[in-house]
Amino acid sequence: MYRVKLTEFEGPLDLLLFFIRRDELDITNIPISRITQEFLEYLHLMASLDLEVAGEFIVMAATLMQIKVRMLLPRDENAPEEEDPRAELIRRLIEYKRFKEMAQEFGSLEEEHRKVYYRRFFEGDTKTLVEEEDDGFLKDISLFNLIAAYKSALDQMPRKVVHEVHLLSVTVDEQMSFVMDFLRVHGPTTLLQLVAHMVEKIRIIVTVIAVLELTKNKAIALAVVDGRDDIAIRPLTSLAPMALASR
Amino acid sequence: MTPDLPPPPVSRQILDVLEALLFATDEPLSTGQLTELLEYLSEQDRPRPLNADTILSCIAYMNREYEVQGRTFRIKPIAGGYQFATLPEFGIWLGRLVRERSKRKLSVSALESLAVIAYKQPVTKPEIEAIRGVNADYVLRTLMERNLVTIVGRASTPGRPLLYGTTREFLKHFGLNDLADLPKPREIDELMAEAEYEVEKRMLRELEEKREAEEGKDEASGLHLVDGDE
Amino acid sequence: MTPDLPPPPVSRQILDVLEALLFATDEPLSTGQLTELLEYLSEQDRPRPLNADTILSCIAYMNREYEVQGRTFRIKPIAGGYQFATLPEFGIWLGRLVRERSKRKLSVSALESLAVIAYKQPVTKPEIEAIRGVNADYVLRTLMERNLVTIVGRASTPGRPLLYGTTREFLKHFGLNDLADLPKPREIDELMAEAEYEVEKRMLRELEEKREAEEGKDEASGLHLVDGDE
């Protein structure tokens, strides 16, 4: 009997290729019973070591046995040019072997390139920033990054979102008037100043909508405040004289 | 053509190793660290004496070389160590590079919001915030500025909140023909779940390593058939 | 002291800006990007013509300079662009210094899957699995996490499976300029022919062994397996 030493195989095809290489078999003319026998012994061994045999190996075992049976069956004289039952498996083995070779090539490319290093520390470089319009914001962000982010967002979603629905009597129209009044009293302001005293989230939201609505109506204009997460608001329509005086 | 330099304080090989080290490091290297790294040089190749002063004179020598050869970079003392840096007069050119670099990445939070909008659209800001648990004002603004997200209408719910959705630009970036091409939640789960087969493979590998350690013997690859009972 | 170089193809100023840009970039810069950046040079300072060929001849010229001057780095074509990188012979020194995630070796299953994806792209998961004969969920996820592979769309076949392809990071990992630089896989016919040839080799060897056994003599050729009994 043979003692079999186990190592990792990339899958059933890899194991078959191993048998073929080790025994110097002709891949185009596989001795199917012998290979099937060895394959089953390997599975048996895995089982005896209490290793769960991966599904792919079991499927392959079934395929091998099926081919073996078909090889034993007498050929149907009427069926013209029936394909060798092994043909499909041989095709797969050769195809896999081909990519396995390329994987080795990739491995040596990787090895070669591992010796090459790029500059990675740029803090010492003096840079003078230049204003330009921007593009390339999404460079290097792939669809995978996007879906990974989606999953992460869902995973981190607050377990219970308590929506206390108490009806607040706040409408967009009201807040539009509020914004215009505020501007009239305080002059140009910012969004944060506008909502500073508000406690209910919904009121803030409605106010923001009101601001957007007013922007759309060209009653006010918005601008980004440099360096801050805030938006500057200034009136576009003429306001009551007292507003001008107040600033 | 180039003015002659005095002879280097150490062998060329040492200068080369120093240059390569300073080039590839991801943080400034102190003279102490450099000394330590040079200790891997074989006994006879090592500079003598091998100390901070030797390193400093090498750095000074290399900088003279770069100057004479008209290179646009020098080795500069930074944060207690030494590092390559381009000369300040090229700062304006590098600024253009850096701007591009800083714009490159979407923040994690922007990406998450973008993902939520992509999958849940049309979606209101409160809905985005409910999923992400944080205020979405800033990211929404950023995403809209980048033309990845746009307002697509208003919900008919009370307060008629704005509805957000993704743009054509978004589809273009991710190589999607339409929104139906986005990976489905089921596909995402498939991608994110560890295949069970891998668990087994890892077990097998561990077992193998343990056995090899026990037997204390080396082995090439594959199934080894050993003539057992004789 | 240093051998003379031919005159530079453009003014020193242009070479300097190019060098500084390439020295300071953390991403390969394409000739297109470099051309664009050089367009900021004032009209009379700009190289003429300002195109990819001009850039390429400048890069070649600079690399000759570095070689003559004994520098340990060169401007290297990578992932469709150019970037400074150390010469491979200094890798051993830098390995002691740098412990980068990206320098981590890929597993065999990752390499195999990458090979399939690289040559067959755009390719679906079932296609990858059919070739390798194993589930590809885990490995695909790992490859995507390392940004070597990405989703590039959906097939138009029933079920519209996701399509996968390699990334720029993939090129960078293997030091390739573009996909055309990939080693060519052997043709099926060649593999078949080789398989048959292997059988002949084996027969030849058996014959050889038999003869040697008969002659009872030792042999040197590595083909022979020592079998122990004397």
Side-chain angles (χ1 to χ4, degrees), chain C residues 72-90:
Chain C
T72 59
F73 38 74
R74 300 285 184 274
I75 301 167
K76 195 177 140 61
I78 180 91
Y82 290 84
Q83 201 178 350
F84 267 101
T86 56
L87 292 170
E89 54 259 45
F90 295 95

Side-chain angles (χ1 to χ4, degrees), chain B residues 5 12 15 18-20 22 59-75 84 87, chain C residues 19 69 71-73:
Chain B
L5 281 163
R12 191 77 237 172
L15 288 177
L18 271 175
E19 182 180 76
L22 287 165
I59 289 175
Y61 179 82
M62 286 192 280
N63 275 337
R64 270 200 310 280
E65 263 195 0
Y66 303 140
E67 195 184 332
V68 167
Q69 295 169 352
R71 298 276 68 91
T72 58
F73 42 78
R74 300 286 183 273
I75 299 166
F84 267 105
L87 290 170
Chain C
E19 181 181 76
Q69 297 170 351
R71 297 275 70 85
T72 59
F73 38 74

Side-chain angles (χ1 to χ4, degrees), chain A residues 24 98 101 110 114 116, chain C residues 103 173 186 202 205:
Chain A
E24 297 177 317
R98 194 161 163 242
E101 281 183 5
E110 179 186 51
R114 268 156 55 87
V116 173
Chain C
K103 289 278 168 196
H173 184 85
R186 291 200 288 162
R202 171 169 53 91
R205 195 181 315 168

Side-chain angles (χ1 to χ4, degrees), chain A residues 10-14 23-28 56-57 90 92 94-103 105-107 109-120 122 125 132 139-140 142-145 147, chain C residues 23-26 40 76 78 83-86 88 91 94-95 98 100 103 105-106 108-109 112 119-120 130-135 144 150-151 172-175 182-183 185-186 188 191-192 194-195 199 202 205:
Chain A
E10 289 307 318
L13 291 171
D14 199 21
D23 299 342
E24 297 177 317
L25 304 173
D26 181 355
I27 199 171
T28 59
E56 292 97 351
F57 282 84
I90 289 167
R92 286 185 66 195
I94 288 182
E95 179 82 336
Y96 177 62
K97 186 177 175 180
R98 194 161 163 242
F99 284 105
K100 212 172 160 53
E101 281 183 5
M102 295 330 287
E105 294 271 348
F106 278 30
L109 273 179
E110 179 186 51
E111 193 54 41
E112 204 41 50
H113 196 61
R114 268 156 55 87
K115 297 179 194 151
V116 173
Y117 290 80
Y118 297 88
R119 197 175 160 223
R120 290 179 310 144
F122 303 93
D125 295 340
E132 283 172 67
K139 203 173 148 199
D140 290 338
S142 71
L143 192 52
F144 176 74
N145 300 136
I147 64 176
Chain C
F23 199 77
T25 183
D26 64 347
Y40 291 104
K76 195 177 140 61
I78 180 91
Q83 201 178 350
F84 267 101
T86 56
L94 308 183
V98 182
E100 272 186 87
K103 289 278 168 196
K105 269 199 221 174
L106 292 167
V108 177
S109 61
E112 281 187 18
Y119 290 107
K120 293 259 175 189
I131 289 174
R132 294 195 54 236
V134 289
N135 179 291
M144 286 199 283
T150 188
I151 299 165
K172 276 158 76 180
H173 184 85
F174 291 98
L182 283 175
R186 291 200 288 162
I188 303 276
L191 281 162
M192 299 274 268
E194 188 208 62
V199 177
R202 171 169 53 91
R205 195 181 315 168

